[in-house]
Coordinates of all heavy atoms in Angstrom, one line a residue:
M1 N 101.5 106.6 110.9 CA 100.8 106.0 109.8 C 99.3 106.1 110.1 O 98.9 105.7 111.2 CB 101.3 104.5 109.6 CG 100.3 103.5 109.3 SD 100.5 102.9 107.6 CE 98.9 102.2 107.4
S2 N 98.5 106.5 109.2 CA 97.1 106.6 109.5 C 96.5 105.2 109.2 O 97.0 104.4 108.4 CB 96.4 107.6 108.6 OG 96.6 107.3 107.3
R3 N 95.3 104.9 109.8 CA 94.7 103.7 109.6 C 93.6 103.9 108.5 O 92.6 104.5 108.7 CB 94.0 103.2 110.8 CG 95.0 102.8 111.9 CD 94.4 102.2 113.1 NE 93.2 102.8 113.5 CZ 92.8 103.1 114.7 NH1 93.6 102.9 115.7 NH2 91.6 103.6 114.9
P4 N 93.9 103.4 107.3 CA 92.9 103.6 106.2 C 91.6 102.9 106.4 O 91.6 101.8 106.9 CB 93.7 103.1 105.0 CG 94.7 102.2 105.5 CD 95.0 102.6 106.9
S5 N 90.5 103.6 106.0 CA 89.2 103.0 105.9 C 88.8 102.4 107.3 O 88.1 101.4 107.3 CB 89.1 101.9 104.9 OG 89.5 102.4 103.6
G6 N 89.2 102.9 108.4 CA 88.8 102.4 109.7 C 89.4 101.1 110.0 O 89.0 100.5 111.0
T7 N 90.4 100.6 109.3 CA 90.9 99.3 109.6 C 91.9 99.4 110.8 O 92.4 100.5 111.1 CB 91.7 98.7 108.4 OG1 92.8 99.5 108.1 CG2 90.8 98.5 107.3
V8 N 92.2 98.3 111.4 CA 93.3 98.3 112.4 C 94.2 97.2 111.8 O 94.3 96.1 112.3 CB 92.7 97.9 113.8 CG1 93.8 97.9 114.8 CG2 91.6 98.8 114.1
P9 N 95.0 97.5 110.8 CA 95.8 96.5 110.2 C 96.9 96.1 111.1 O 97.5 96.9 111.8 CB 96.4 97.3 109.0 CG 96.4 98.7 109.3 CD 95.2 98.8 110.2
G10 N 97.1 94.8 111.1 CA 98.2 94.3 112.0 C 97.7 94.1 113.4 O 98.5 93.5 114.2
Q11 N 96.6 94.5 113.8 CA 96.1 94.3 115.1 C 95.7 92.8 115.2 O 94.7 92.4 114.5 CB 95.0 95.2 115.5 CG 94.5 94.9 116.9 CD 93.4 95.8 117.4 OE1 93.2 96.9 116.9 NE2 92.6 95.4 118.3
A12 N 96.4 92.1 115.9 CA 96.1 90.6 115.9 C 95.2 90.3 117.0 O 95.2 90.9 118.0 CB 97.4 89.9 116.1
S13 N 94.4 89.2 116.8 CA 93.6 88.6 117.9 C 94.2 87.3 118.2 O 94.9 86.7 117.3 CB 92.2 88.6 117.5 OG 92.0 87.8 116.3
G14 N 93.9 86.8 119.3 CA 94.5 85.5 119.7 C 95.2 85.7 121.1 O 95.3 86.8 121.6
S15 N 95.6 84.6 121.6 CA 96.1 84.7 123.0 C 97.4 85.3 123.2 O 97.8 85.7 124.3 CB 96.0 83.3 123.6 OG 96.9 82.4 122.9
R16 N 98.3 85.4 122.2 CA 99.7 85.8 122.4 C 100.1 87.0 121.7 O 101.2 87.4 121.7 CB 100.6 84.6 122.1 CG 100.1 83.4 122.7 CD 101.1 82.5 123.3 NE 102.0 83.0 124.4 CZ 103.2 82.6 124.6 NH1 103.7 81.6 123.9 NH2 103.9 83.1 125.5
G17 N 99.2 87.7 121.0 CA 99.5 88.9 120.3 C 100.0 88.8 118.9 O 100.2 87.7 118.4
P18 N 100.4 89.9 118.3 CA 100.7 89.9 116.8 C 101.9 89.2 116.4 O 102.1 88.7 115.3 CB 100.7 91.4 116.5 CG 101.0 92.1 117.8 CD 100.4 91.2 118.8
A19 N 102.9 89.1 117.3 CA 104.2 88.5 116.9 C 104.2 87.0 117.3 O 105.2 86.3 117.1 CB 105.3 89.2 117.6
A20 N 103.1 86.4 117.7 CA 103.1 85.0 118.2 C 103.4 84.1 117.1 O 104.2 83.2 117.2 CB 101.8 84.7 118.9
G21 N 102.7 84.3 116.0 CA 102.8 83.3 114.8 C 102.2 82.0 115.1 O 101.8 81.7 116.3
A22 N 102.1 81.2 114.1 CA 101.5 79.9 114.3 C 102.4 79.0 115.2 O 103.6 79.1 115.1 CB 101.3 79.2 113.0
G23 N 101.8 78.2 116.0 CA 102.6 77.3 116.9 C 103.0 77.9 118.2 O 103.6 77.3 119.0
A24 N 102.8 79.2 118.4 CA 103.2 79.8 119.7 C 101.9 80.3 120.4 O 101.7 81.5 120.7 CB 104.1 81.0 119.4
G25 N 101.0 79.4 120.6 CA 99.7 79.7 121.2 C 98.6 79.8 120.2 O 97.5 80.3 120.6
G26 N 98.8 79.3 119.0 CA 97.7 79.4 118.0 C 98.0 80.3 116.9 O 98.9 81.2 117.0
P27 N 97.2 80.2 115.9 CA 97.4 81.1 114.7 C 97.0 82.5 115.0 O 96.2 82.8 115.9 CB 96.5 80.5 113.6 CG 95.6 79.6 114.3 CD 96.2 79.2 115.7
V28 N 97.7 83.4 114.4 CA 97.4 84.9 114.5 C 96.4 85.3 113.4 O 96.5 84.8 112.3 CB 98.7 85.7 114.4 CG1 98.5 87.2 114.4 CG2 99.7 85.3 115.4
S29 N 95.5 86.1 113.8 CA 94.6 86.7 112.8 C 94.7 88.2 112.9 O 95.0 88.8 113.9 CB 93.1 86.2 113.0 OG 92.6 86.6 114.2
F30 N 94.4 88.9 111.7 CA 94.5 90.3 111.6 C 93.2 90.9 111.3 O 92.5 90.4 110.4 CB 95.6 90.7 110.6 CG 96.9 90.2 110.9 CD1 97.3 88.9 110.5 CD2 97.8 91.0 111.6 CE1 98.6 88.5 110.8 CE2 99.1 90.5 111.9 CZ 99.5 89.3 111.5
K31 N 92.8 92.0 112.0 CA 91.6 92.7 111.7 C 91.8 93.5 110.4 O 92.8 94.2 110.3 CB 91.1 93.6 112.8 CG 90.7 92.8 114.0 CD 90.3 93.7 115.1 CE 89.9 92.9 116.4 NZ 89.4 93.7 117.4
A32 N 90.8 93.5 109.5 CA 90.8 94.3 108.3 C 89.4 94.7 107.9 O 88.5 94.2 108.4 CB 91.5 93.5 107.2
S33 N 89.4 95.6 106.9 CA 88.1 96.0 106.4 C 88.3 96.3 104.9 O 89.4 96.6 104.4 CB 87.5 97.3 107.1 OG 88.3 98.4 106.8
C34 N 87.2 96.2 104.2 CA 87.2 96.4 102.7 C 86.7 97.8 102.4 O 85.6 98.2 102.8 CB 86.3 95.4 102.1 SG 86.2 95.6 100.3
P35 N 87.5 98.6 101.7 CA 87.0 100.0 101.3 C 85.9 99.9 100.3 O 85.2 100.9 100.1 CB 88.3 100.6 100.7 CG 89.2 99.5 100.3 CD 88.8 98.3 101.2
D36 N 85.7 98.8 99.6 CA 84.7 98.7 98.5 C 83.3 98.5 99.1 O 82.4 99.2 98.9 CB 85.0 97.6 97.5 CG 86.2 98.0 96.6 OD1 86.7 99.2 96.7 OD2 86.6 97.2 95.8
C37 N 83.2 97.4 99.9 CA 81.9 97.0 100.5 C 81.7 97.4 101.9 O 80.6 97.3 102.5 CB 81.6 95.5 100.3 SG 82.6 94.5 101.4
G38 N 82.8 97.8 102.6 CA 82.7 98.2 104.0 C 82.7 97.1 105.0 O 82.6 97.3 106.2
A39 N 82.8 95.8 104.6 CA 82.8 94.7 105.5 C 84.0 94.8 106.4 O 85.1 95.2 106.0 CB 82.8 93.4 104.7
R40 N 83.9 94.3 107.6 CA 85.0 94.2 108.6 C 85.1 92.7 108.9 O 84.1 92.0 109.1 CB 84.7 95.0 109.8 CG 84.7 96.4 109.6 CD 84.3 97.2 110.9 NE 84.2 98.6 110.6 CZ 85.1 99.5 110.9 NH1 86.2 99.1 111.6 NH2 85.0 100.8 110.6
F41 N 86.3 92.2 109.0 CA 86.5 90.8 109.2 C 87.9 90.5 109.7 O 88.7 91.5 109.9 CB 86.4 90.1 107.8 CG 87.0 90.8 106.7 CD1 88.3 90.8 106.4 CD2 86.2 91.6 105.9 CE1 88.9 91.5 105.3 CE2 86.7 92.4 104.8 CZ 88.0 92.3 104.6
E42 N 88.2 89.3 110.0 CA 89.6 88.9 110.4 C 90.2 87.9 109.4 O 89.4 87.1 108.8 CB 89.5 88.2 111.8 CG 89.2 89.2 112.9 CD 89.3 88.5 114.3 OE1 89.8 87.4 114.4 OE2 89.0 89.2 115.3
L43 N 91.5 88.1 109.1 CA 92.2 87.3 108.1 C 93.3 86.6 108.8 O 94.0 87.2 109.7 CB 92.7 88.2 107.0 CG 91.6 88.9 106.1 CD1 92.3 89.9 105.2 CD2 90.8 87.9 105.3
D44 N 93.6 85.4 108.4 CA 94.8 84.8 108.9 C 96.0 85.2 108.1 O 95.8 85.8 107.1 CB 94.7 83.2 109.0 CG 94.5 82.6 107.7 OD1 94.9 83.1 106.7 OD2 94.0 81.4 107.7
A45 N 97.2 84.9 108.6 CA 98.4 85.3 107.9 C 98.5 84.9 106.4 O 99.0 85.6 105.6 CB 99.6 84.9 108.7
G46 N 97.9 83.7 106.2 CA 98.0 83.2 104.8 C 97.1 83.9 103.8 O 97.3 83.8 102.6
A47 N 96.2 84.7 104.3 CA 95.3 85.5 103.4 C 95.9 86.9 103.0 O 95.3 87.6 102.2 CB 94.0 85.7 104.0
L48 N 97.0 87.2 103.7 CA 97.6 88.5 103.4 C 98.9 88.4 102.7 O 99.6 87.4 102.8 CB 97.9 89.2 104.8 CG 96.6 89.6 105.6 CD1 97.0 89.7 107.1 CD2 96.1 91.0 105.1
R49 N 99.3 89.4 102.0 CA 100.6 89.5 101.3 C 101.2 90.9 101.6 O 100.5 91.9 101.6 CB 100.5 89.4 99.8 CG 100.0 88.0 99.3 CD 101.0 86.9 99.6 NE 100.6 85.6 99.2 CZ 100.1 84.7 100.1 NH1 100.0 85.1 101.4 NH2 99.7 83.5 99.8
L50 N 102.5 90.9 101.9 CA 103.2 92.1 102.3 C 104.3 92.3 101.2 O 105.0 91.5 100.9 CB 103.8 92.0 103.6 CG 104.7 93.2 104.1 CD1 103.9 94.5 104.2 CD2 105.3 92.9 105.4
V51 N 104.3 93.5 100.6 CA 105.4 93.9 99.7 C 106.1 95.1 100.3 O 105.6 96.1 100.6 CB 104.8 94.3 98.3 CG1 105.9 94.8 97.4 CG2 104.0 93.2 97.7
I52 N 107.4 94.9 100.5 CA 108.3 95.9 101.0 C 109.1 96.5 99.9 O 110.0 95.8 99.3 CB 109.2 95.3 102.1 CG1 108.4 94.8 103.2 CG2 110.2 96.4 102.6 CD1 109.1 94.0 104.3
G53 N 108.9 97.7 99.5 CA 109.5 98.4 98.4 C 110.6 99.3 99.0 O 110.9 99.3 100.2
G54 N 111.2 100.1 98.1 CA 112.3 101.0 98.4 C 111.8 102.3 99.1 O 112.6 103.1 99.5
S55 N 110.5 102.5 99.1 CA 110.0 103.7 99.7 C 108.6 103.4 100.4 O 108.1 102.3 100.3 CB 109.7 104.8 98.6 OG 108.7 104.4 97.8
R56 N 108.1 104.4 101.1 CA 106.8 104.2 101.7 C 105.7 104.0 100.7 O 104.7 103.3 100.9 CB 106.4 105.5 102.5 CG 107.2 105.6 103.8 CD 106.8 106.8 104.6 NE 107.6 107.0 105.7 CZ 107.3 107.7 106.8 NH1 106.1 108.3 106.8 NH2 108.1 107.9 107.8
R57 N 105.9 104.6 99.5 CA 104.9 104.5 98.4 C 104.8 103.1 97.9 O 103.8 102.7 97.4 CB 105.3 105.4 97.3 CG 104.3 106.5 97.0 CD 104.8 107.4 96.0 NE 103.6 107.7 95.2 CZ 103.5 108.3 94.1 NH1 104.6 108.7 93.6 NH2 102.4 108.6 93.5
T58 N 105.9 102.4 97.9 CA 105.9 101.0 97.3 C 105.9 99.9 98.4 O 106.2 98.8 98.1 CB 107.1 100.9 96.5 OG1 108.4 101.1 97.2 CG2 107.1 101.8 95.3
T59 N 105.6 100.3 99.6 CA 105.4 99.3 100.7 C 104.0 99.2 101.0 O 103.3 100.2 101.4 CB 106.3 99.7 101.9 OG1 107.7 99.7 101.5 CG2 106.1 98.7 103.0
F60 N 103.4 98.0 100.9 CA 101.9 97.9 101.1 C 101.6 96.4 101.4 O 102.5 95.5 101.3 CB 101.2 98.3 99.8 CG 101.5 97.4 98.6 CD1 100.8 96.3 98.3 CD2 102.6 97.8 97.8 CE1 101.1 95.5 97.2 CE2 102.9 97.0 96.7 CZ 102.1 95.9 96.4
Y61 N 100.4 96.2 101.9 CA 99.9 94.9 102.1 C 98.6 94.7 101.3 O 98.0 95.7 101.0 CB 99.7 94.5 103.6 CG 98.6 95.3 104.3 CD1 97.3 94.8 104.5 CD2 98.9 96.6 104.7 CE1 96.4 95.5 105.1 CE2 97.9 97.3 105.4 CZ 96.6 96.8 105.6 OH 95.6 97.5 106.2
S62 N 98.3 93.5 100.9 CA 97.1 93.3 100.1 C 96.4 92.0 100.5 O 97.0 91.1 101.2 CB 97.5 93.2 98.6 OG 98.3 92.1 98.4
F63 N 95.1 91.9 100.2 CA 94.3 90.8 100.5 C 93.1 90.8 99.6 O 92.8 91.9 99.0 CB 93.9 90.7 102.0 CG 93.2 91.9 102.4 CD1 91.8 92.0 102.3 CD2 93.8 93.0 103.0 CE1 91.1 93.1 102.8 CE2 93.2 94.1 103.4 CZ 91.8 94.2 103.3
T64 N 92.3 89.8 99.5 CA 91.1 89.7 98.8 C 90.0 89.7 99.8 O 90.0 89.0 100.8 CB 91.0 88.4 97.9 OG1 92.1 88.4 97.0 CG2 89.7 88.4 97.2
C65 N 89.0 90.6 99.6 CA 87.9 90.7 100.6 C 87.1 89.4 100.5 O 86.6 89.0 99.4 CB 87.0 91.9 100.2 SG 85.5 92.0 101.2
P66 N 86.9 88.8 101.7 CA 86.1 87.6 101.7 C 84.6 87.8 101.4 O 83.9 86.9 101.1 CB 86.3 87.0 103.1 CG 86.7 88.2 103.9 CD 87.4 89.1 103.0
E67 N 84.1 89.0 101.5 CA 82.7 89.3 101.3 C 82.4 89.6 99.9 O 81.5 89.0 99.3 CB 82.3 90.5 102.2 CG 82.4 90.3 103.7 CD 81.5 89.2 104.2 OE1 80.3 89.1 103.7 OE2 81.9 88.4 105.1
C68 N 83.1 90.5 99.2 CA 82.8 90.9 97.9 C 83.8 90.5 96.8 O 83.6 90.7 95.6 CB 82.6 92.5 97.8 SG 84.1 93.4 98.0
G69 N 85.0 90.0 97.3 CA 86.0 89.5 96.3 C 86.9 90.5 95.8 O 87.7 90.2 94.9
A70 N 86.8 91.8 96.3 CA 87.6 92.9 95.8 C 89.1 92.6 96.2 O 89.4 92.2 97.3 CB 87.2 94.2 96.3
A71 N 90.0 93.0 95.3 CA 91.4 93.0 95.6 C 91.7 94.3 96.3 O 91.4 95.4 95.8 CB 92.2 92.9 94.3
V72 N 92.2 94.2 97.5 CA 92.5 95.4 98.4 C 94.0 95.5 98.6 O 94.7 94.6 98.8 CB 91.8 95.2 99.7 CG1 92.0 96.4 100.6 CG2 90.3 95.0 99.5
R73 N 94.4 96.8 98.4 CA 95.8 97.1 98.6 C 95.9 98.3 99.5 O 95.2 99.4 99.2 CB 96.5 97.4 97.3 CG 97.9 97.9 97.4 CD 98.5 98.1 96.0 NE 99.6 98.9 96.1 CZ 100.5 99.0 95.1 NH1 100.3 98.4 94.0 NH2 101.6 99.8 95.2
K74 N 96.7 98.3 100.6 CA 96.7 99.4 101.6 C 98.2 99.6 101.9 O 99.0 98.7 102.0 CB 95.9 99.0 102.8 CG 94.4 98.9 102.5 CD 93.6 98.8 103.8 CE 92.2 98.7 103.5 NZ 91.4 98.7 104.7
P75 N 98.5 100.9 102.2 CA 99.9 101.2 102.6 C 100.3 100.6 103.9 O 99.5 100.4 104.8 CB 99.9 102.7 102.7 CG 98.5 103.1 102.9 CD 97.7 102.0 102.2
A76 N 101.6 100.2 104.0 CA 102.1 99.6 105.3 C 103.3 100.4 105.8 O 104.3 100.4 105.1 CB 102.5 98.2 105.0
G77 N 103.1 101.1 106.9 CA 104.2 101.8 107.6 C 105.1 100.8 108.3 O 104.8 99.6 108.3
Q78 N 106.1 101.3 109.0 CA 107.1 100.5 109.7 C 106.4 99.6 110.7 O 106.7 98.4 110.8 CB 108.1 101.3 110.3 CG 109.2 100.5 111.0 CD 110.3 101.3 111.5 OE1 110.4 102.5 111.3 NE2 111.3 100.7 112.2
R79 N 105.5 100.1 111.5 CA 104.9 99.3 112.5 C 104.0 98.2 112.0 O 104.0 97.1 112.4 CB 104.0 100.2 113.5 CG 103.3 99.5 114.5 CD 104.2 99.0 115.6 NE 103.5 98.3 116.6 CZ 103.9 97.2 117.3 NH1 105.0 96.7 116.9 NH2 103.2 96.7 118.2
I80 N 103.3 98.5 110.9 CA 102.5 97.5 110.2 C 103.4 96.4 109.7 O 103.1 95.2 109.8 CB 101.6 98.1 109.1 CG1 100.7 99.1 109.7 CG2 100.8 97.0 108.4 CD1 99.8 98.7 110.9
V81 N 104.5 96.8 109.0 CA 105.4 95.8 108.5 C 105.9 94.9 109.6 O 105.9 93.6 109.5 CB 106.6 96.5 107.8 CG1 107.7 95.5 107.5 CG2 106.2 97.2 106.5
E82 N 106.3 95.4 110.8 CA 106.7 94.6 111.9 C 105.7 93.6 112.4 O 105.9 92.5 112.6 CB 107.2 95.5 113.1 CG 108.4 96.3 112.8 CD 108.7 97.4 113.8 OE1 107.9 97.5 114.8 OE2 109.6 98.2 113.7
L83 N 104.4 94.1 112.5 CA 103.3 93.3 113.0 C 103.0 92.1 112.0 O 102.9 91.0 112.4 CB 102.1 94.1 113.2 CG 102.1 95.0 114.4 CD1 101.0 96.0 114.4 CD2 102.1 94.3 115.7
L84 N 103.0 92.5 110.7 CA 102.7 91.5 109.7 C 103.8 90.4 109.6 O 103.5 89.2 109.5 CB 102.4 92.1 108.3 CG 101.1 93.0 108.3 CD1 101.0 93.6 106.9 CD2 99.9 92.2 108.7
T85 N 105.0 90.9 109.5 CA 106.1 89.9 109.4 C 106.2 89.1 110.7 O 106.5 87.8 110.6 CB 107.5 90.6 109.1 OG1 107.7 91.5 110.1 CG2 107.5 91.2 107.7
G86 N 106.0 89.7 111.8 CA 106.0 88.9 113.1 C 104.9 87.9 113.2 O 105.0 86.9 113.9
G87 N 103.8 88.2 112.5 CA 102.6 87.3 112.5 C 102.7 86.3 111.4 O 101.7 85.5 111.2
G88 N 103.8 86.2 110.7 CA 103.9 85.1 109.7 C 103.4 85.4 108.3 O 103.2 84.5 107.5
V89 N 103.1 86.7 108.0 CA 102.6 87.1 106.7 C 103.7 86.9 105.6 O 104.8 87.3 105.8 CB 102.0 88.5 106.7 CG1 101.6 88.9 105.3 CG2 100.8 88.6 107.6
S90 N 103.4 86.3 104.5 CA 104.3 86.1 103.4 C 104.8 87.5 102.9 O 103.9 88.4 102.7 CB 103.6 85.4 102.3 OG 104.5 85.3 101.2
T91 N 106.1 87.7 102.8 CA 106.7 89.0 102.4 C 107.5 88.9 101.1 O 108.2 87.9 100.9 CB 107.6 89.5 103.6 OG1 106.8 89.5 104.8 CG2 108.1 90.8 103.3
L92 N 107.3 89.9 100.3 CA 108.0 90.0 99.0 C 108.8 91.3 99.1 O 108.2 92.4 99.4 CB 107.1 90.0 97.8 CG 107.7 90.3 96.5 CD1 108.7 89.2 96.1 CD2 106.7 90.6 95.4
R93 N 110.1 91.3 98.9 CA 110.9 92.5 98.8 C 111.1 92.9 97.4 O 111.6 92.1 96.6 CB 112.2 92.3 99.5 CG 112.0 92.1 101.0 CD 113.4 92.2 101.7 NE 113.2 91.9 103.2 CZ 112.9 92.8 104.1 NH1 112.7 94.1 103.7 NH2 112.7 92.5 105.3
S94 N 110.7 94.1 97.0 CA 110.9 94.6 95.6 C 112.0 95.6 95.7 O 112.2 96.4 96.7 CB 109.6 95.2 95.1 OG 109.2 96.4 95.7
V95 N 112.7 95.7 94.6 CA 113.9 96.6 94.5 C 113.5 97.8 93.7 O 112.8 97.8 92.8 CB 115.1 95.9 93.9 CG1 116.3 96.9 93.9 CG2 115.4 94.7 94.8

């Protein structure tokens, strides 16, 4: 999976890594960037949404840029899905 727009989706910061989740050494945050304004920032799990579809095309994560307010949607490969779900990101499965 390529990293779109220079982001490192799912790369968590914190003392215990991406699968730690809240309560296992503190909350997990994920590095992200906005393709619209170029801002780079960290988001907690509550700021992200993951949609797992029936194909790679319909599996993505989304968030709102805290700098410009743009709605951002990026593809999520298997590794990103694992990191986001392990980090407590809300997940929706679509059929």
Side-chain angles (χ1 to χ4, degrees):
M1 145 112 195
S2 64
R3 294 187 320 224
S5 306
T7 63
V8 185
Q11 179 177 338
S13 61
S15 61
R16 309 222 59 208
V28 175
S29 61
F30 298 90
K31 293 182 180 182
S33 67
C34 177
D36 289 355
C37 70
R40 293 176 185 256
F41 39 82
E42 291 188 5
L43 298 170
D44 64 21
L48 293 155
R49 295 290 175 262
L50 173 63
V51 176
I52 300 175
S55 70
R56 288 184 186 200
R57 243 178 143 188
T58 58
T59 300
F60 61 91
Y61 65 100
S62 63
F63 57 89
T64 300
C65 175
E67 298 294 321
C68 71
V72 179
R73 176 178 161 164
K74 296 187 178 186
Q78 182 176 354
R79 179 70 179 141
I80 300 307
V81 169
E82 291 170 4
L83 290 168
L84 294 177
T85 56
V89 172
S90 176
T91 303
L92 172 67
R93 294 192 182 271
S94 68
V95 181

